[in-house]
Amino acid sequence: MEKTIILKIGGSVLTRKNIQKPSVRKKLLREIIQNLKKLLASEKNLRLILIHGAGSGGHTIAHTYNLSHGVCDDPIKRIGALKVRYANQILNEKIFSICIDYDIPVVPLHSGSLIGMKKGNIVYFSHTILDLCFKNKSIPLLYGEMVFDEETGMAVCSGDLIAFYLAKKYNASRVLFASDVEGIYSEDPFKNKNASLIKNSSLKDLVKNKKITLSGSHNVDVTGGIYNKIQSLKNNLSPSLQDVIIFNGLRPENFLSLTKKNPPGTKIFFS
Ligand code: ADP
Ligand code: IPE
């Protein structure tokens, strides 16, 4: 039977998020795509959904135009939102072009044209296009984007939210986040070098344990780092989901292990 997994490659992996000018890690990206190709060749029954983040380009513009609470009929913010979209499309195009170089049938599906939100929740999604994409034996590639919102005009839709929304819709058994940390630590390892890596945790323990601090990104970021990933997970739990993995995407070899029982990183489970 076909197994569905969702991989979100964070902007912290794709770009140097601490440099405000868009700076794509092209060599790493090539290595990641080559390893994904190897994985797909060895896993014939895998249905993969790919999502990417915005990284330095989109986040810096969204921050500059103060877009965290949407456009709200502000003409300056409206143009800012479109500048974010442009930056995201440029990043998307770079990933697409590498996938084509390696003959992988990855199809960019522009999130801004498929998704509608209301007060920060996804309330509309053009599933037919995704279904046709699977039928055409292709791998959809979506991304965190400024999307239309019924209340705020246009709002930030993170790749994290898209990942959990689609996990529910397509009965994914696993969602993986490639990020710039080895996994979830007792607190942000960029802020405390002595923070300890959590290898396994139930979702309940992760949010209840007072010794664990989940916070925003140490980089310029309008969507809230690890904290937002766990909030999005809590709000969009899916019965099909067996675990969620957060792993270091700066190590390309980790992309060969996406389907292993115990891949590198932190495993969050639900029992
Ligand atoms: P991505 O761009 O890969 O989606 P984010 O920047 O949104 O990733 O989130 C990753 C960041 O979350 C890390 O770089 C780190 O600064 C921050 N973070 C906050 N709390 C933690 C924690 N407890 N463990 C690991 N990282 C954390
Ligand atoms: C951000 O998406 C989308 C924007 C419009 C800024 P993400 O939150 O998924 O991006 P990364 O992974 O943190 O860069």
Side-chain angles (χ1 to χ4, degrees):
M1 219 187 67
E2 212 171 45
K3 179 167 67 179
T4 301
I5 67 168
I6 299 182
L7 169 65
K8 187 221 164 182
I9 309 180
S12 67
V13 172
L14 300 168
T15 68
R16 293 171 187 86
K17 229 171 157 179
N18 55 342
I19 300 175
Q20 301 204 348
K21 243 179 75 191
S23 168
V24 178
R25 290 191 166 97
K26 287 197 209 80
K27 182 171 167 283
L28 173 68
L29 194 48
R30 284 193 173 273
E31 289 169 347
I32 291 174
I33 301 295
Q34 275 174 286
N35 284 346
L36 284 181
K37 183 172 180 172
K38 282 186 201 155
L39 178 82
L40 289 164
S42 67
E43 293 266 1
K44 293 287 176 219
N45 287 325
L46 187 66
R47 184 165 74 164
L48 178 65
I49 300 177
L50 281 177
I51 298 169
H52 70 81
S56 52
H59 274 289
T60 303
I61 303 167
H63 184 255
T64 306
Y65 283 84
N66 195 10
L67 297 176
S68 297
H69 303 290
V71 163
C72 300
D73 230 4
D74 178 331
I76 297 175
K77 288 190 181 189
R78 187 171 293 121
I79 296 300
L82 297 178
K83 287 186 183 174
V84 174
R85 275 204 180 195
Y86 187 63
N88 291 344
Q89 283 201 10
I90 289 174
L91 178 59
N92 180 258
E93 188 264 338
K94 291 205 166 104
I95 301 167
F96 184 32
S97 111
I98 295 176
C99 292
I100 293 177
D101 280 353
Y102 289 103
D103 296 331
I104 310 181
V106 162
V107 179
L109 296 180
H110 293 181
S111 304
S113 307
L114 292 184
I115 298 172
M117 295 210 295
K118 185 171 184 177
K119 289 189 188 158
N121 295 309
I122 296 176
V123 290
Y124 174 80
F125 194 103
S126 183
H127 296 111
T128 310
I129 297 299
L130 214 64
D131 294 341
L132 288 171
C133 180
F134 293 133
K135 209 171 158 198
N136 188 46
K137 297 188 175 56
S138 304
I139 300 164
L141 173 66
L142 295 103
Y143 52 94
E145 178 62 307
M146 298 302 306
V147 310
F148 288 119
D149 185 292
E150 287 181 16
E151 299 278 325
T152 62
M154 266 180 130
V156 181
C157 180
S158 74
D160 306 348
L161 179 61
I162 299 173
F164 291 123
Y165 175 86
L166 290 179
K168 217 189 254 181
K169 181 71 195 166
Y170 289 95
N171 295 323
S173 54
R174 172 174 279 178
V175 174
L176 301 108
F177 292 96
S179 192
D180 63 351
V181 280
E182 296 294 340
I184 296 187
Y185 285 74
S186 50
E187 63 181 293
D188 187 343
F190 287 97
K191 292 182 185 150
N192 181 355
K193 295 256 173 296
N194 297 321
S196 52
L197 180 63
I198 298 159
K199 280 294 296 169
N200 284 285
S201 174
S202 68
L203 177 63
K204 221 197 278 168
D205 284 349
L206 200 60
V207 290
K208 274 205 178 140
N209 191 333
K210 296 242 176 340
K211 290 188 184 140
I212 302 175
T213 308
L214 307 173
S215 49
S217 169
H218 70 289
N219 289 308
V220 176
D221 182 296
V222 295
T223 47
I226 291 288
Y227 174 79
N228 183 60
K229 292 187 202 324
I230 303 304
Q231 285 306 312
S232 298
L233 169 60
K234 266 172 59 188
N235 296 335
N236 294 280
L237 274 179
S238 147
S240 63
L241 207 53
Q242 287 165 12
D243 51 36
V244 170
I245 311 289
I246 295 167
F247 71 96
N248 193 342
L250 299 173
R251 300 183 195 280
E253 66 278 11
N254 285 348
F255 288 83
L256 294 167
S257 305
L258 303 186
T259 53
K260 287 198 177 140
K261 191 164 184 282
N262 290 306
T266 298
K267 184 197 264 190
I268 303 170
F269 53 92
F270 306 100
S271 57

